[in-house]
Amino acid sequence: MEPRYVMVLDTRRCVACSACVIVCKTENDVPEGGFRDWVVSETRGRFPALSTENRSLRCNHCAFAPCIDNCPTGASHRGPGGTVQIDRVKCTGCKNCISACPYDARFVHPRGFIDKCTFCMHRKGAYTACQTVCPTECIHFGDANDPGSEVSRLLATRDHKVVAPEAGTRPRVHYLV
Amino acid sequence: MAMNEIEILKATPHLAREHWWGWEIPVYLFLGGLAAGIMILTSVRVLRDPEGERSETFRLLSWLAPLVLSIGMFALWLDLERRWDVPRFYLAFRPKAPMSWGAWILLAVYPLVALFALGELRGRWRDRLAPRLRAVADWADAPAIKRRLAWGNAAVGTLLGIYTGVLLSAMSARPLWSSAVLGPLFLTSGGSTAAALMLLFRVDERERRGLSKLDLGLICMEVALLGLFFLNLMTGSDTSQRAGGLLLGGPYTASFFGLVVFGGLAVPLFGEAREMRGHNGSRWFLPLLILIGGLALRWILVAAGQASSWNAL
Ligand code: SF4
Ligand code: SF4
């Protein structure tokens, strides 16, 4: 069966150190001012009963991807394992996909094409760069169609959520809560 | 005190929600709508009264459509990050992408509008044409062909006008734009700004009255559609109410109500109604207000839409 790559991040372990952000920039030669992933820290509650959740965010490689639908040239397309990829040669920089993404996951690369997280597909489905450096090992990546994979096990045994499910895009980045 | 604070640890430029579409897209949408309106108005005149006399100015006005559309296309081209890759739009047809539809519709617009406008050239204008072009103009002016061209021109103009709104409304990621009303709203506004632009030229008195009357009707329709647009937003989910709040009480309220609602709709509505009753005003004041209002409508909606989003952090 064709793999279905997903990412599972443990919000209970994340300490918001941003190592994933920095290594991604190095691994993928992300230009100054651009980011393929970023970290938010959300504090909720009524003082003094407060709780904080840290989330490392990136393109959700949505199952229903409006960025692909709105791309007039086919540059944004479905890549290996159901990931969402951008063909840099076909991209005209019209920025429709930036308008279409509810997660603001895309940015304009100084060379004129659009850039975003690729799930490190140049590593052919092996560990992503962010996963390798996370000091708390809170990032997991793998094939959700393989019932024996770690991501399948985590999604089956732990409570999890996606960001803004009401946007209706069926994200493939899941957060353990 | 209850709190819900999101601290962005890495202040990334795209998270600061900088606008990625600047002046070029609203100008393109405005001029696209204007061209669509001119195509529809000039064609409908021919269809309603095929034998009727049209002033020389009115006939020449059909050339305004390709002219303003080309300026709009130039603005769109300037917006592209990779301007020389524009042929890429024609190497694919993506049925779910409105911009792909737009690119292909434009291919139909130019030949149609050029043939129609050529057929509208008469007298000294036609005499000045090269013999081959004159033959084409004669052909396009034959009653049966003219009728077909006018139908085609009006149909493609309608598609173009609706498309300028659908380009935005297809973005469900931007709750302010995600409304089916935007297509008809931009089409109506395109018609009204086209009538206003045509009123700035020396058309004859009968044509002038006709255009003013039509404009009055179109402005009334626009007011109704704008009302529906707000109703839709303010009776929707929390997300769409937040988006609507950008225009109702938020940072875009003063400019939207000042330039679009008051200057672009209310004043022209009363002014044109007065003119209908025989009070003559300045020839250019109301049309200019309508044109500024039409541009402001797109400008503010494009800017505010980019500031609207799902709470997706
Ligand atoms: S998060 Fe945005 S860029 Fe990524 S697949 Fe979804 S819509 Fe496309
Ligand atoms: S900017 Fe590139 S990837 Fe995005 S919609 Fe336009 S052509 Fe497609």
Side-chain angles (χ1 to χ4, degrees):
Chain A
M1 194 194 291
E2 162 85 355
R4 180 164 59 89
Y5 292 126
V6 300
M7 191 169 266
V8 178
L9 297 101
D10 196 338
T11 60
R12 295 188 163 242
R13 283 178 171 233
C14 178
V15 291
C17 67
S18 295
C20 51
V21 179
I22 303 304
V23 75
C24 173
K25 292 206 71 151
T26 321
E27 168 88 7
N28 295 300
D29 205 9
V30 179
E32 197 178 323
F35 292 86
R36 287 188 179 190
D37 59 349
W38 62 98
V39 180
V40 304
S41 194
E42 184 178 2
T43 304
R44 284 188 288 247
R46 186 180 289 272
F47 186 81
L50 297 171
S51 72
T52 295
E53 181 179 284
N54 298 319
R55 294 190 292 272
S56 169
L57 295 155
R58 60 200 30 67
C59 165
N60 283 291
H61 295 268
C62 308
F64 294 117
C67 53
I68 296 183
D69 288 347
N70 276 284
C71 175
T73 65
S76 286
H77 64 281
R78 194 62 70 183
T83 60
V84 173
Q85 304 293 342
I86 300 166
D87 182 334
R88 294 180 170 193
V89 175
K90 285 188 184 171
C91 177
T92 58
C94 69
K95 295 166 279 194
N96 264 305
C97 54
I98 297 188
S99 286
C101 171
Y103 298 97
D104 292 324
R106 296 176 166 235
F107 63 94
V108 181
H109 191 284
R111 277 168 44 211
F113 51 80
I114 302 304
D115 205 6
K116 68 164 192 73
C117 163
T118 59
F119 268 175
C120 279
M121 270 304 119
H122 57 284
R123 292 173 167 233
K124 310 228 178 301
Y127 292 105
T128 62
C130 51
Q131 181 182 17
T132 57
V133 295
C134 177
T136 61
E137 295 187 348
C138 75
I139 303 179
H140 308 270
F141 174 75
D143 176 10
N145 278 346
D146 171 5
S149 69
E150 193 188 18
V151 286
S152 295
R153 186 183 57 76
L154 284 168
L155 291 177
T157 56
R158 295 272 305 270
D159 283 342
H160 54 90
K161 65 174 184 183
V162 294
V163 177
E166 62 277 17
T169 63
R170 296 254 303 270
R172 285 181 173 160
V173 175
H174 302 266
Y175 293 88
L176 301 176
V177 289
Chain B
M1 194 210 318
M3 64 187 293
N4 188 2
E5 255 180 22
I6 294 184
E7 179 195 348
I8 298 165
L9 293 185
K10 288 286 156 193
T12 69
H14 61 291
L15 281 182
R17 298 206 198 290
E18 270 186 7
H19 291 180
W20 50 96
W21 277 343
W23 63 271
E24 299 91 342
I25 296 294
V27 165
Y28 161 65
L29 297 180
F30 170 65
L31 295 177
L34 198 54
I38 298 169
M39 288 168 72
I40 297 168
L41 297 190
T42 48
S43 308
V44 166
R45 176 87 199 272
V46 168
L47 290 172
R48 282 192 55 180
D49 189 7
E51 309 297 323
E53 260 316 299
R54 296 184 286 288
S55 67
E56 189 181 50
T57 312
F58 197 95
R59 287 176 175 276
L60 289 176
L61 282 177
S62 38
W63 285 97
L64 267 182
L67 186 75
V68 293
L69 186 62
S70 301
I71 304 173
M73 295 286 293
F74 182 65
L76 176 68
W77 180 74
L78 286 182
D79 175 70
L80 294 181
E81 300 293 330
R82 288 176 151 185
R83 295 183 186 138
W84 302 110
D85 279 351
V86 86
R88 290 256 165 222
F89 285 105
Y90 296 103
L91 295 178
F93 173 60
R94 313 269 312 160
K96 284 187 176 177
M99 197 174 260
S100 189
W101 279 95
W104 288 98
I105 289 174
L106 287 168
L107 278 195
V109 166
Y110 277 108
L112 252 177
V113 79
L115 281 176
F116 178 80
L118 264 179
E120 283 291 87
L121 292 181
R122 288 259 173 98
R124 60 194 167 119
W125 295 97
R126 193 176 295 179
D127 295 342
R128 277 187 206 152
L129 294 174
R132 279 210 189 142
L133 274 181
R134 204 179 313 142
V136 177
D138 289 339
W139 173 79
D141 203 16
I145 302 292
K146 176 149 236 151
R147 222 181 137 65
R148 280 187 203 141
L149 283 175
W151 270 114
N153 213 23
V156 173
T158 307
L159 276 181
L160 178 65
I162 291 181
Y163 150 74
T164 59
V166 171
L167 182 73
L168 299 183
S169 69
M171 309 290 181
S172 59
R174 309 290 150 198
L176 187 72
W177 295 339
S178 183
S179 158
V181 178
L182 277 195
L185 177 66
F186 280 21
L187 174 68
T188 315
S189 160
S192 148
T193 48
L197 183 69
M198 291 163 84
L199 280 169
L200 289 174
F201 292 85
R202 293 207 173 274
V203 290
D204 73 24
E205 194 45 39
R206 200 168 58 93
E207 288 164 344
R208 195 178 138 71
R209 263 184 280 116
L211 283 172
S212 292
K213 211 161 127 189
L214 186 77
D215 211 4
L216 195 64
L218 287 170
I219 292 176
C220 291
M221 261 175 84
E222 213 181 319
V223 171
L225 287 168
L226 210 54
L228 281 177
F229 174 69
F230 278 117
L231 192 70
N232 195 14
L233 280 170
M234 299 324 280
T235 53
S237 65
D238 165 47
T239 311
S240 69
Q241 293 196 23
R242 248 188 311 121
L246 290 165
L247 299 175
L248 299 173
Y252 297 92
T253 309
S255 51
F256 192 82
F257 279 85
L259 290 170
V260 180
V261 178
F262 185 71
L265 294 172
V267 175
L269 193 66
F270 287 113
E272 289 200 351
R274 257 171 67 88
E275 278 185 21
M276 286 285 121
R277 292 201 302 270
H279 299 271
N280 270 344
S282 146
R283 199 166 66 85
W284 52 265
F285 178 65
L286 293 179
L288 224 51
L289 276 185
I290 294 171
L291 286 165
I292 294 171
L295 176 61
L297 172 73
R298 275 89 174 169
W299 200 295
I300 296 167
L301 282 185
V302 168
Q306 292 177 77
S308 75
S309 67
W310 295 85
N311 228 349
L313 282 177

